[in-house]
Amino acid sequence: MTKHSATRKRQRIPKRHLGMLVAATFIGAATLFTTGSVSAADGPLTLSPLLAEAEQDRIEAIERAMPSTVCVFVPGGGGGGSGVLISPDGYALTNFHVSSPAGNYMRCGLSDGNIYDAVIVGIDPVGDLALIRLLGRDDFPYATLADSQKANAGDWCMVIGNPFLLASNLQPTVTWGILSGVNRYQYPSGTLLEYADCLQTDASINPGNSGGPLYDAEGRLLGIVGRASFEKRGRVNVGVGYAISINQAKNFLGYLHSGRIVDHATLGATVATDEDGGVRVSNILESSDAYRRGLRYSAEIIEIDGRVVHTANDVQNVIATLPSGWRVKLVYRYEGDTVETLVRLMSVHGQDELLEKMAGAMPPPPPREAPKKDKDEEKQEEDDGDDAGPETAEGDVPAAVLAVYEERRGFANYFANQQQQNEFIESLRKQFPNGDAGHTVTWSIQGKTSKDEKVFIYVSDDRLSMVVGDTPIEPVTKSDLYESVEARSFAGAIPALDAWRRMLDKGPKKFGETIYWGTMPLAGERPLRDCVVGSDGEFEIRWLSHPENKQVECIEVFADRDEDPAELWIHRDSDDADAAPTRLEIRYGVDSIFEMTIDSWDVLENESSDDDDDNAKDAGKPAQQGQAEKQG
């Protein structure tokens, strides 16, 4: 090796440049052979160390990526496709159009030669994503997720999957190529599916690759293969394939783990690219949160969710990768002023509309017949009686799958949602203020505002009250609470605190209609928070919790979907899960209207008799509060 080449090796040429060098080396070698410049007398052809290094890197990347690739088969011969494992407990991503023919159950093979039963978890029919779970292990190999926003046209990539269902031996097919383009938008074209901000590649993609992984040159997951352009007659790839970006999948993972059938977002406005550059609002719904935040016709949109937009296509690329209900940052310019605000995104479809369109896009699952049993098996079941649990039920669906599946309208798998609800209430009861199931308590909270006004809050089953300075508020009916939120009053803290206290006591099943919604930003900020939604009469309550310590950071109380909710922000000085709140804040929209420092938060156990309840209330209510109420 020359001194010059040794220096280049130590500098570690970037992968994308190294790939160009490899290609050039192959071309040069081919030229030598075709021109006859190399003869046997010249001795054996030596391989460049750089070329050998690149080849070894590629082999190692494929070896890292291969174990996480999933070959999906629809039982009953209904087709199949590909997928990719993303966690050790068996969660895997695939396409909606791959999972839909299978219904709730499929068979999945890995390159280690093993086949596993898998159950559907969540569905995104608009973005063509589905979350499934392979059963039987908690130590599955899984892919490392890349940042697809950092991908560039010309980067090397590879596709691993099950084209034409060739992987009957469970050894998936590997194809290699480059990213031909990024941030591509594919219109629905009369279908439900919408591919936004997707990655384009010339790596060979064919029927059966759908749902499988697109990896970068390091073996990290860049996207989920979905569409490809084919020669019309032969269904043969013509070198233009598309993958859903892994960043879009990350946005929807929390929603998919909820077990729901989820929808995508809309700004509630249409836009057009301006002739002089930039993108302007061409129409806007007055019922949208964007309108409440001041967005108007002809306003120029500059950024959405931290991404700069220059054209209408850019706007659609960003919005279409976001789930409905998210609250994201928006920067726009209107009448000479630049406005930075937060916007709650609307749903593209109503729930009934989404379910109807999805049903129209789903082929019927293949017929499944119960396996035939011989006489010995039938005799054994008769001898075992009712105590013997069947290994299969509902046709040939394994009992292990049915044990983790529950059908419910609006859900791909309601069982998954129940698991998330259980985790929510378990973590909630470990936090301050402590609460146990069936253990009714009263809260007595004291503190002061930034203006040094004393604050007293009393929350129990029989009485709700709040005193700030000389202003007492004691709602008696639900209507009173509703009006406090509609009036954007600091008393919006009362229904939020009461819902929190009753959720601790009753749990999700008894609180009201409660579901785990998924994950979303808190005031436009990451990391994504877990969100649980509960119906409480005319109120919709949302609990947003940090994904790591599970602390409830904000409780939103919606009185009207077309108005800003009351947001109770719970501030703490520590990240410990059981850290006590130190400050409470009330916000509406982007406005903070009230904040208090907490001096004490007493948790008083309610007694069983009415007299004892009154005594507990009196004991928990400070004397100053009683005096202020009398003056009021």
Side-chain angles (χ1 to χ4, degrees), residues 343-362:
V343 172
R344 294 180 190 272
L345 301 175
M346 305 171 67
S347 296
V348 175
H349 307 89
Q351 186 183 47
D352 291 340
E353 178 189 9
L354 178 64
L355 296 180
E356 182 179 350
K357 285 188 175 182
M358 188 191 76
M362 291 176 64

Side-chain angles (χ1 to χ4, degrees), residues 252-529:
F252 279 87
L253 272 181
Y255 276 40
L256 292 172
H257 275 286
S258 74
R260 297 188 299 121
I261 299 170
V262 303
D263 197 11
H264 282 231
T266 175
L267 189 59
T270 58
V271 297
T273 304
D274 194 80
E275 293 180 358
D276 299 327
V279 54
R280 295 189 179 276
V281 176
S282 56
N283 202 356
I284 186 167
L285 294 174
E286 292 186 7
S287 60
S288 66
D289 191 54
Y291 189 87
R292 288 198 294 274
R293 303 283 80 83
L295 191 67
R296 296 292 185 270
Y297 172 81
S298 79
E300 180 184 5
I301 297 179
I302 301 171
E303 288 185 22
I304 303 174
D305 195 29
R307 290 180 58 181
V308 177
V309 293
H310 300 286
T311 66
N313 190 74
D314 290 343
V315 171
Q316 189 61 23
N317 258 341
V318 176
I319 293 294
T321 62
L322 302 176
S324 64
W326 269 30
R327 196 180 187 196
V328 299
K329 294 179 180 180
L330 177 71
V331 181
Y332 66 88
R333 187 177 293 114
Y334 183 64
E335 294 184 343
D337 295 327
T338 299
V339 179
E340 298 182 13
T341 188
L342 295 170
V343 172
R344 294 180 190 272
L345 301 175
M346 305 171 67
S347 296
V348 175
H349 307 89
Q351 186 183 47
D352 291 340
E353 178 189 9
L354 178 64
L355 296 180
E356 182 179 350
K357 285 188 175 182
M358 188 191 76
M362 291 176 64
R368 292 173 179 162
E369 297 181 358
K372 294 182 179 180
K373 303 171 184 176
D374 57 32
K375 293 182 178 180
D376 291 339
E377 288 177 321
E378 292 177 354
K379 179 68 167 59
Q380 182 65 44
E381 287 186 1
E382 291 176 2
D383 294 341
D384 291 340
D386 295 336
D387 293 337
E391 291 190 5
T392 61
E394 293 188 11
D396 61 351
V397 180
V401 171
L402 295 177
V404 292
Y405 175 79
E406 183 175 341
E407 186 175 355
R408 183 167 177 172
R409 178 177 171 79
F411 291 82
N413 186 351
Y414 184 64
F415 180 86
N417 200 278
Q418 288 183 308
Q419 284 187 306
Q420 298 289 347
Q421 290 182 46
N422 293 339
E423 290 179 12
F424 162 72
I425 191 62
E426 182 180 348
S427 64
L428 191 67
R429 286 172 174 160
K430 291 178 181 178
Q431 300 174 35
F432 179 93
N434 297 327
D436 298 320
H439 192 71
T440 306
V441 297
T442 292
W443 288 352
S444 177
I445 306 168
Q446 301 184 44
K448 56 182 175 296
T449 68
S450 58
K451 297 180 180 179
D452 210 30
E453 296 175 303
K454 291 185 178 180
V455 181
F456 303 100
I457 303 174
Y458 187 81
V459 185
S460 73
D461 283 341
D462 301 322
R463 186 173 186 176
L464 303 172
S465 64
M466 183 173 184
V467 181
V468 179
D470 295 329
T471 305
I473 296 177
E474 187 163 345
V476 177
T477 65
K478 282 282 188 181
S479 179
D480 295 336
L481 292 172
Y482 190 92
E483 289 175 2
S484 68
V485 175
E486 277 200 321
R488 301 170 69 92
S489 164
F490 60 76
I494 299 176
L497 288 166
D498 186 48
W500 184 4
R501 184 188 65 89
R502 287 187 293 109
M503 176 60 79
L504 283 168
D505 176 26
K506 299 178 181 300
K509 290 182 175 62
K510 295 182 179 180
F511 176 85
E513 181 66 25
T514 303
I515 63 171
Y516 173 74
W517 193 254
T519 55
M520 60 180 60
L522 177 57
E525 297 290 348
R526 267 74 168 180
L528 301 180
R529 270 63 170 190

